[in-house]
Amino acid sequence: MEIIIKETSETTSVMAARLVARLVREKPNAVLGLATGSTPLMLYKELVRLHQEEGLDFSGITTFNLDEYIGLPRDHEQSYYTFMWKNLFSQINILPENVHIPDGMAADVPLACAEYEQAILEAGGIDLQVLGIGSDGHVGFNEPTSSFASRTRIKTLTRQTLKDNARFFNDDDSRVPHHCITMGIGTIMDAGCILMLAFGEKKAEAIASMVEGPVASVVPASILQHHARAKVFIDEAAATQLKRADYYRWVYEGKPDWQLDA
Ligand code: F6R
């Protein structure tokens, strides 16, 4: 795991966007795995800027989102479908047929999940997966004790996640759907590279457990220690509980130029 600590979430997001943009330029038919929530908003804003001001071309790009709430129709203002179109897809030149988001209204959830996995396979697998992290250490909506071998499936959110996400539902956690469809941890681990972002003190404990704690399903994100190409972009606030933060900074500062954007 490579840990990149920067002063602010803005700087961090712009650096992360540079990596995504580089992949999009080098592999115009790349497959991106995308996340929702507040964390990737600045990354998406920068990708929109790169498209609008520098012509970054998404016309050959395919995307798969990590998750969706069960029971929210696409046009619900808090569906991840709405989130993605509002914050990214409507502002870049991606083809709608290349966008995939789990269907929270699927009549047959296990079938929809199996088809989602199949679609990822048929697209050639995910080249780069963008991730946030929950304050309880979840990735996607793989809550603590999720199987490391899991694939796309239904999950029940923890009370902590309902509380964390209540801010999107008028601060009322009873309005947050309890179930979701999420890519599994096995699905996420199959991605060619992982780009995780985390900002703010609220994420500091989860980040420390993920990076420096044991690999254990109670901290789902800790499995990323086993991913050969995982980059973790965090701000100073999210780095406060890392015991080896100085080492990560030293490693980054000493990187040879040729390795900086790799
Ligand atoms: C969202 C997702 C979640 C979030 C996590 C952090 O698609 O998969 O794992 O990344 O809950 O959410 P924020 O960014 O709102 O703190």
Side-chain angles (χ1 to χ4, degrees), residues 54 58 129 132 157:
E54 296 181 22
F58 290 87
Q129 176 67 55
L157 302 180

Side-chain angles (χ1 to χ4, degrees), residues 200-201 204-205 207-208 234-243 245 249:
E201 223 175 304
E205 190 181 341
I207 286 292
I234 57 179
D235 64 2
E236 289 289 350
T240 46
Q241 294 194 33
L242 286 169
K243 291 199 178 72
R249 290 193 190 91

Side-chain angles (χ1 to χ4, degrees), residues 33-37 64-70 78-81 83-84 100-104 116 129-132 138-142 152-153 155 157 161 165 179-184 188:
L34 298 177
T36 56
F64 286 90
N65 261 80
L66 281 166
D67 40 21
E68 179 62 282
Y69 292 115
I70 287 187
Q78 291 306 335
S79 76
Y80 286 165
Y81 182 94
F83 176 100
M84 289 309 300
H100 303 84
I101 301 173
D103 178 5
Y116 204 69
Q129 176 67 55
V130 175
L131 289 179
H138 70 221
V139 281
F141 272 143
N142 295 283
T152 303
R153 70 208 183 295
K155 282 296 285 182
L157 302 180
T161 301
N165 288 4
H179 295 102
C180 63
I181 293 178
T182 179
M183 278 185 202
I188 293 170

Side-chain angles (χ1 to χ4, degrees), residues 35-40 67-70 72 76-80 83 132-136 138-143 156-180 202-203:
T36 56
S38 38
T39 306
D67 40 21
E68 179 62 282
Y69 292 115
I70 287 187
L72 293 195
H76 189 284
E77 59 169 355
Q78 291 306 335
S79 76
Y80 286 165
F83 176 100
I133 185 169
S135 63
D136 63 1
H138 70 221
V139 281
F141 272 143
N142 295 283
E143 296 286 29
T156 305
L157 302 180
T158 58
R159 289 204 168 91
Q160 179 64 48
T161 301
L162 297 182
K163 258 203 254 161
D164 288 347
N165 288 4
R167 66 193 195 278
F168 300 116
F169 292 83
N170 294 329
D171 285 327
D172 179 357
D173 58 4
S174 70
R175 295 172 68 172
V176 185
H178 288 197
H179 295 102
C180 63
K202 270 197 195 153
K203 300 293 172 73

